[in-house]
């Protein structure tokens, strides 16, 4: 059985105004990963992904490319203990 992880990520580059949050939700839902995603004032995107390790890693790998209009420069990801008990994946505004 795969272990359950929670990862906090900051994605930077041209990642706002290119449907990054909505496409991240679509990918997370397809991978059965819980959590949330939101834009930050500095132009980056912040996300928390929670689920089975291979599924979370799949979403993180997708984040390194993003949707076609995005230009991802960096993804900083770090494991953390689950604090929210996320139910589903949400776009935060």
């Amino acid at each position: 059985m795969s272990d359950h992880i929670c990862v906090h990520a900051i994605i930077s580059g041209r990642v706002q105004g290119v449907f990054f949050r909505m496409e991240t939700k679509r990918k997370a839902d397809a991978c059965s990963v819980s959590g949330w995603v939101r834009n930050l004032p500095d132009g980056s995107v912040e996300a928390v992904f929670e689920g089975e390790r291979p599924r979370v890693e799949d979403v993180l790998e997708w984040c390194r490319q993003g949707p076609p209009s995005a230009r991802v420069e960096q993804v900083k990801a770090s494991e953390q203990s689950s604090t929210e008990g996320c139910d589903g994946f949400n776009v935060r505004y």
Side-chain angles (χ1 to χ4, degrees):
M1 182 173 157
S2 297
D3 56 324
H4 187 90
I5 64 170
C6 183
V7 174
H8 177 258
I10 302 291
I11 302 105
S12 58
R14 187 169 149 234
V15 293
Q16 289 190 16
V18 294
F19 299 100
F20 201 98
R21 290 176 300 163
M22 190 54 68
E23 292 300 320
T24 301
K25 177 179 174 27
R26 187 182 323 261
K27 180 65 177 176
D29 287 345
C31 291
S32 299
V33 169
S34 298
W36 53 266
V37 62
R38 68 179 174 185
N39 287 341
L40 293 177
D42 67 0
S44 62
V45 169
E46 177 182 29
V48 170
F49 303 111
E50 188 170 345
E52 294 179 14
R53 182 176 297 278
R55 294 173 183 261
V56 169
E57 288 173 352
D58 191 33
V59 176
L60 282 171
E61 185 60 33
W62 178 87
C63 286
R64 290 180 176 86
Q65 293 293 316
S69 300
R71 190 183 76 242
V72 177
E73 294 174 1
Q74 185 176 41
V75 176
K76 292 182 183 177
S78 59
E79 280 192 46
Q80 62 181 30
S81 51
S82 175
T83 58
E84 298 190 31
C86 300
D87 183 29
F89 196 88
N90 300 297
V91 175
R92 293 186 174 177
Y93 297 94

